[in-house]
Amino acid sequence: MTDPVGWGERDRGRPELVERLQDAVVRRRKVRLTCDNHARERTERLVDPWGLVDKDDTWYLIAGTERGQRTFRIDRIVTADPTDQPAERPDDFTLATAWQQVVGEVERRRSHTWATALVEARIGAELTDRYA
């Protein structure tokens, strides 16, 4: 059971695109996506929808593309048009395993964040002893 609604809030419901993509996943139909990437460039591609994940009210589509498995943020999808073409899904595909790979990759990328901080000289030695 999942109850994503906070106290005093109304049920936000799932975005309309999630309903459309879920139908395509269940019916195993290819979907033509128009998306805005992180640089706000618009792209179009035909994908095999494999599964949907709701991570803290941000929805993701895991799909097969001509370049392999890709993850799309639903809020960056402008249009999602199911086709009559059958979608393919690897026989050994499991959504839980695919999502763990996505999470692992995101966490790996995030762990390489560096920062430079200016501190007073008297604190520098202590920080060096603790974190160097």
Side-chain angles (χ1 to χ4, degrees):
M1 181 175 155
T2 325
D3 185 359
V5 181
W7 296 110
E9 294 181 8
R10 293 178 185 250
D11 186 1
R12 289 180 291 264
R14 292 191 294 182
E16 179 187 337
L17 282 177
V18 171
E19 299 291 337
R20 187 176 304 156
L21 290 166
Q22 182 179 32
D23 186 59
V25 169
V26 171
R27 293 181 53 235
R28 291 194 178 196
R29 295 290 178 238
K30 289 185 184 280
V31 177
R32 185 164 310 284
L33 299 179
T34 304
C35 304
D36 288 338
N37 65 17
H38 63 280
R40 303 265 185 227
E41 300 165 337
R42 192 154 285 185
T43 61
E44 186 176 297
R45 63 186 79 208
L46 187 64
V47 303
D48 295 315
W50 293 345
L52 293 159
V53 175
D54 174 8
K55 180 164 178 60
D56 193 30
D57 278 341
T58 301
W59 284 87
Y60 297 88
L61 169 69
I62 296 182
T65 72
E66 58 191 28
R67 290 191 261 165
Q69 178 180 313
R70 294 285 309 271
T71 304
F72 300 90
R73 277 183 61 142
I74 301 297
D75 60 359
R76 290 188 182 151
I77 297 175
V78 179
T79 62
D81 299 315
T83 70
D84 289 332
Q85 300 173 46
E88 296 179 16
R89 185 181 309 150
D91 291 335
D92 61 346
F93 176 81
T94 64
L95 186 56
T97 300
W99 184 247
Q100 286 305 314
Q101 291 170 346
V102 170
V103 169
E105 179 63 21
V106 169
E107 291 298 330
R108 186 185 64 75
R109 287 182 187 176
R110 291 180 63 195
S111 67
H112 293 296
T113 302
W114 297 91
T116 301
L118 297 175
V119 297
E120 295 179 24
R122 63 183 177 81
I123 298 174
E126 185 176 332
L127 291 175
T128 300
D129 287 345
R130 286 189 183 182
Y131 301 106

